[in-house]
Amino acid sequence: MIFQAIRQQQPLVHCITNYVVANFQANGLLAIGASPVMADDPNEVEEMVSIASALLLNIGTLNERTRKSMLLAGKKANAQGIPVVLDPVGAGATTFRKQTVQQLLAEIHFAVIRCNAGELAAMTNTAWQQKGVDSGDGTIDLVAEAKQLAQRQHCIVIVTGERDLITDGEQVEWLTGGHVQMTAITGTGCLLSAICGAAYTVGNKPFQQLAQTLALYKKVAEQAIATPAIGDFQLAILNELHAFSKVGDVSCTL
Amino acid sequence: MIFQAIRQQQPLVHCITNYVVANFQANGLLAIGASPVMADDPNEVEEMVSIASALLLNIGTLNERTRKSMLLAGKKANAQGIPVVLDPVGAGATTFRKQTVQQLLAEIHFAVIRCNAGELAAMTNTAWQQKGVDSGDGTIDLVAEAKQLAQRQHCIVIVTGERDLITDGEQVEWLTGGHVQMTAITGTGCLLSAICGAAYTVGNKPFQQLAQTLALYKKVAEQAIATPAIGDFQLAILNELHAFSKVGDVSCTL
Amino acid sequence: MIFQAIRQQQPLVHCITNYVVANFQANGLLAIGASPVMADDPNEVEEMVSIASALLLNIGTLNERTRKSMLLAGKKANAQGIPVVLDPVGAGATTFRKQTVQQLLAEIHFAVIRCNAGELAAMTNTAWQQKGVDSGDGTIDLVAEAKQLAQRQHCIVIVTGERDLITDGEQVEWLTGGHVQMTAITGTGCLLSAICGAAYTVGNKPFQQLAQTLALYKKVAEQAIATPAIGDFQLAILNELHAFSKVGDVSCTL
């Protein structure tokens, strides 16, 4: 099982991320036995990513300095064969975000893009109202656009929402389950993107590893909702991630 | 009831805030059904605030870049009639903070200023020892200075402490209750300021909406203290905010 | 007892720190009755540190701007006799971190350096693989290098791990106990460094005050593990810090 494989291999995930969720992301990665490192200065990101197993670029609180760092780290990761995950937070909300994402997509090869429907729309230049966006209900357009983006970028595209979609441009899989309360706390999507980075590194069937990650993350939500109070729910997610990565033996069918 | 109105209308609150409390603020806004967005780069704050319902400027971990962003976002918000809340964290502690606050007050029209007694003193050039400051006990000076600031800035001034004071320069209301443990965790004042931004937008009687917000926040503290352990108390506040925004029906007398 | 002395004296600890753990650090300091202030801009750090009881420099998410701030604040603190604590997070991971630490050690007098074995190795130019580093098991080299660093920098050096080592260059003490789960959440080491800053200020026997702090922090871990779920454990640490600083009377044998 993928979380157990992560605990066994303890990949180091270098996150250039936003300060709103950095703590939650670090603790979430630690909860499944991965090792987080946050470093975002142009002076050191190339060296830092070189010792990492995966790189996460999350534009949640983007600025000029971290944009530069993302480009440096992403290119270095590409040169060294280290997988890069993009989380294009609010990509359609401002020109600065949209242009940064376009530049990142043009100059860096991503292994995985993890987004919601509005962010997908921004990346494929589809009309969409970014504010209050949700993944919708699996219209044919969502599949078509995700596949198109995956083909164009030669990567796996994950679009999360009430149902999650994963595609490598050919295969398409839908994941159901989870719980809507995941959208009522900050950082659950951001954490999932970081976990995707860890999951990508621990086997040689990325599509299956990531599909299993999405399925497990929905199970985590289903377990965590047993602790429904909104503050405690946040920690229940960490508790369940921890539990899932420890149950049973670590033999992994992937 | 104001929190229920917020849950119904889901205002988007753009926060230019400090990294110490950003997560707590985001989860606190989400807990009452508001929608937070943190973005602090000069490249995008004008565009981001344009799609927001309210703007919060919090100088807790101010730097040159975010100072510029605050000015840009504040002016844009003014131009578009979007209410702006100022949280002048530690305004009297350093010259940089005091000058920034003076510039913000000179160039931006705030709908609400939410501060403590020491920060009020810094804004009205009253002698005060910023360190270890507390709101005192409602001396006549506190009322006089808050009223004067409200008149000068044409805004609502809220001074929180053991008792909270709210004034629009004419009306003055005191709110009692709450619990002293609110001062023993970081970010409760910062979160209140963000909630004031949300509360301001959901009706047309701002003074009453904000007075009710202060009263409810004290109720939240009184409920949360049933979970007295200091770590858990932090989450109990989120739990209670959530509960208060959901109880009963959403008919709002304001 | 040292935590009770901190609660009694309420030292203000100025932290120039990383955004991953800033909230946890602030709440941890508050939990024992200390007063945190985070401020990291060159425009204000000299003024801010001047009103503080102690200064913490933590390079966890270092950048050019905060490097400059650390130098300014550290020198000001030295000039005013305010103790400075260094937390050289990941010192050996990148050239930027290593060079920054070397510059800080050359230009600032630290009262305390709190590190792990890998960071110690980076400061003493010993070969070490920074990634996945742990404090080892008290080999003679660890003692020799910590003593050497303490002598060279005229300060107290604390190396934490399964066992903690404290030395002033002559005396050496080992502290045992604690719980390995402290390494499974982010920020426990960072928080300890901040608490060391507070502990240093509340007496005139720094070595004993810090040794007692290390011993108590291990007790905190032993108590907190009664709440083993990883998310809740994080808050249990805050709960226990709070409890330890309140038990019994505040008479302090130090």
Side-chain angles (χ1 to χ4, degrees):
Chain A
M1 192 265 278
I2 191 72
F3 288 178
Q4 294 167 342
I6 292 170
R7 176 165 299 283
Q8 200 172 32
Q9 298 186 35
Q10 304 181 17
L12 181 68
V13 182
H14 176 191
C15 304
I16 303 182
T17 190
N18 70 77
Y19 53 76
V20 184
V21 307
N23 184 276
F24 187 63
Q25 261 179 336
N27 276 324
L29 286 170
L30 283 165
I32 54 169
S35 190
V37 63
M38 275 65 178
D40 66 14
D41 200 62
N43 284 295
E44 69 169 357
V45 292
E46 290 168 293
E47 221 175 328
M48 192 62 92
V49 77
S50 300
I51 57 166
S53 305
L55 173 67
L56 170 70
L57 304 183
N58 172 308
I59 67 164
T61 53
L62 186 68
N63 60 49
E64 275 299 346
R65 185 178 59 80
T66 53
R67 175 182 180 159
K68 191 175 164 193
S69 295
M70 289 181 191
L71 289 164
L72 289 169
K75 287 174 187 175
K76 188 71 171 183
N78 280 176
Q80 305 207 341
I82 295 162
V84 190
V85 178
L86 175 65
D87 190 333
V89 182
T94 67
T95 308
F96 182 52
R97 291 185 190 224
K98 189 173 266 185
Q99 286 178 348
T100 299
V101 167
Q102 282 168 348
Q103 188 180 8
L104 291 171
L105 291 173
E107 300 187 19
I108 295 166
H109 172 250
F110 290 97
V112 186
I113 300 172
R114 207 289 311 161
C115 59
N116 63 29
E119 293 153 359
L120 177 65
M123 286 183 285
T124 58
N125 291 307
T126 312
W128 194 285
Q129 184 68 23
Q130 177 75 43
K131 187 186 162 189
V133 73
D134 208 337
S135 73
D137 237 315
T139 68
I140 188 72
D141 279 352
L142 200 62
V143 171
E145 287 175 27
K147 283 181 76 171
Q148 180 205 322
L149 180 66
Q151 285 164 11
R152 198 181 82 201
Q153 300 296 135
H154 304 98
C155 73
I156 292 173
V157 170
I158 294 168
V159 189
T160 55
E162 194 183 321
R163 297 197 296 156
D164 292 352
L165 167 69
I166 178 171
T167 180
D168 58 5
E170 306 218 340
Q171 303 173 76
V172 174
E173 204 170 312
W174 285 97
L175 290 303
T176 58
H179 196 281
V180 67
Q181 192 159 300
M182 292 293 272
T183 64
I185 59 172
T186 193
T188 52
C190 297
L191 173 53
L192 177 57
S193 298
I195 291 175
C196 285
Y200 192 94
T201 68
V202 295
N204 52 17
K205 294 181 178 171
F207 188 87
Q208 286 85 339
Q209 288 153 228
L210 291 166
Q212 196 181 39
T213 297
L214 297 177
L216 278 168
Y217 206 62
K218 287 193 172 293
K219 291 274 179 222
V220 162
E222 289 162 15
Q223 292 293 319
I225 198 64
T227 307
I230 198 75
D232 302 317
F233 180 66
Q234 197 183 345
L235 297 188
I237 294 166
L238 299 179
N239 294 343
E240 295 300 331
L241 284 169
H242 195 235
F244 271 95
S245 71
K246 289 199 152 176
V247 204
D249 65 272
V250 290
S251 63
C252 172
T253 60
L254 290 169
Chain B
M1 194 265 277
I2 190 75
F3 288 178
Q4 294 167 342
I6 292 171
R7 175 165 300 284
Q8 199 172 33
Q9 298 186 36
Q10 303 180 17
L12 180 68
V13 182
H14 176 190
C15 303
I16 303 182
T17 189
N18 71 77
Y19 53 76
V20 184
V21 308
N23 184 274
F24 187 64
Q25 260 179 338
N27 277 322
L29 285 169
L30 283 164
I32 55 169
S35 190
V37 63
M38 275 66 177
D40 66 15
D41 201 63
N43 285 294
E44 70 170 357
V45 292
E46 290 167 295
E47 221 175 330
M48 192 62 92
V49 78
S50 301
I51 58 167
S53 305
L55 172 67
L56 170 71
L57 304 183
N58 173 309
I59 67 165
T61 52
L62 186 68
N63 60 48
E64 276 298 347
R65 185 177 60 80
T66 53
R67 176 182 180 159
K68 191 175 163 193
S69 296
M70 289 181 191
L71 289 163
L72 288 169
K75 288 174 188 175
K76 187 71 170 184
N78 280 175
Q80 306 207 339
I82 294 161
V84 190
V85 178
L86 175 64
D87 190 333
V89 182
T94 66
T95 308
F96 182 52
R97 291 186 189 223
K98 189 173 265 185
Q99 286 178 348
T100 299
V101 167
Q102 282 168 349
Q103 189 181 8
L104 291 170
L105 291 173
E107 300 188 18
I108 295 166
H109 172 251
F110 290 97
V112 186
I113 300 172
R114 208 286 312 161
C115 59
N116 64 28
E119 293 153 0
L120 177 66
M123 286 184 284
T124 58
N125 291 307
T126 312
W128 194 284
Q129 184 66 24
Q130 177 76 44
K131 186 186 164 190
V133 74
D134 209 337
S135 73
D137 235 313
T139 68
I140 189 72
D141 279 353
L142 199 61
V143 171
E145 287 175 27
K147 283 181 75 171
Q148 181 204 323
L149 181 65
Q151 285 163 11
R152 197 181 84 201
Q153 300 297 136
H154 303 98
C155 71
I156 292 172
V157 170
I158 294 168
V159 189
T160 56
E162 193 183 321
R163 298 197 297 155
D164 292 352
L165 168 69
I166 179 170
T167 180
D168 59 5
E170 305 216 341
Q171 302 172 77
V172 174
E173 205 170 311
W174 284 98
L175 291 303
T176 58
H179 195 281
V180 68
Q181 191 159 300
M182 292 294 271
T183 64
I185 59 172
T186 193
T188 52
C190 296
L191 173 54
L192 176 56
S193 298
I195 291 176
C196 285
Y200 192 96
T201 68
V202 295
N204 52 17
K205 294 180 178 171
F207 188 87
Q208 286 84 338
Q209 288 153 227
L210 292 166
Q212 195 179 40
T213 297
L214 297 177
L216 278 167
Y217 206 62
K218 286 193 173 294
K219 291 274 179 223
V220 162
E222 289 162 16
Q223 292 291 320
I225 198 62
T227 308
I230 198 76
D232 302 317
F233 180 66
Q234 196 184 346
L235 298 187
I237 294 166
L238 299 179
N239 294 342
E240 295 301 332
L241 284 169
H242 195 237
F244 272 94
S245 71
K246 288 199 151 175
V247 205
D249 65 272
V250 291
S251 63
C252 172
T253 60
L254 291 167
Chain C
M1 193 265 276
I2 191 74
F3 288 178
Q4 294 167 342
I6 292 170
R7 175 165 300 282
Q8 200 172 32
Q9 298 186 35
Q10 304 180 18
L12 181 68
V13 182
H14 176 192
C15 304
I16 304 183
T17 190
N18 71 78
Y19 54 76
V20 183
V21 307
N23 183 275
F24 187 63
Q25 260 178 338
N27 276 323
L29 285 170
L30 283 164
I32 56 169
S35 190
V37 63
M38 275 65 177
D40 66 15
D41 201 62
N43 284 295
E44 70 170 356
V45 292
E46 290 167 295
E47 221 175 329
M48 192 62 91
V49 78
S50 300
I51 58 167
S53 306
L55 172 67
L56 169 71
L57 304 183
N58 172 308
I59 67 164
T61 52
L62 185 69
N63 60 49
E64 275 298 347
R65 184 177 60 80
T66 53
R67 175 181 179 159
K68 191 175 164 193
S69 296
M70 289 181 191
L71 289 163
L72 288 170
K75 287 174 189 176
K76 188 71 171 183
N78 281 175
Q80 305 207 341
I82 295 161
V84 190
V85 178
L86 175 64
D87 190 333
V89 182
T94 67
T95 307
F96 182 52
R97 290 185 190 224
K98 190 174 265 186
Q99 286 178 348
T100 299
V101 167
Q102 281 168 349
Q103 188 180 10
L104 291 171
L105 291 173
E107 300 188 18
I108 295 165
H109 172 251
F110 290 96
V112 186
I113 300 172
R114 208 288 310 162
C115 59
N116 63 29
E119 292 153 0
L120 176 66
M123 285 184 286
T124 58
N125 290 307
T126 312
W128 193 285
Q129 184 67 23
Q130 178 76 42
K131 186 186 165 189
V133 72
D134 209 335
S135 73
D137 235 313
T139 69
I140 187 72
D141 279 351
L142 199 61
V143 170
E145 286 175 27
K147 283 181 75 171
Q148 181 205 322
L149 181 66
Q151 285 164 11
R152 197 181 82 200
Q153 299 297 135
H154 303 98
C155 72
I156 292 173
V157 171
I158 294 168
V159 189
T160 55
E162 194 183 321
R163 297 197 297 156
D164 292 351
L165 167 69
I166 178 170
T167 180
D168 58 5
E170 305 216 340
Q171 303 172 77
V172 174
E173 204 171 311
W174 285 97
L175 290 304
T176 58
H179 196 280
V180 67
Q181 191 158 301
M182 293 293 272
T183 64
I185 59 172
T186 193
T188 52
C190 297
L191 173 53
L192 176 57
S193 298
I195 291 175
C196 285
Y200 191 96
T201 68
V202 296
N204 53 18
K205 295 180 179 172
F207 188 87
Q208 286 85 338
Q209 288 153 227
L210 292 166
Q212 197 181 39
T213 297
L214 297 177
L216 279 168
Y217 207 62
K218 287 193 172 292
K219 291 274 179 224
V220 162
E222 290 162 16
Q223 292 292 320
I225 198 63
T227 308
I230 199 74
D232 301 318
F233 180 67
Q234 195 184 347
L235 298 188
I237 294 166
L238 300 179
N239 294 342
E240 295 301 332
L241 284 169
H242 195 236
F244 272 94
S245 71
K246 288 200 152 175
V247 204
D249 66 90
V250 291
S251 63
C252 172
T253 61
L254 291 168

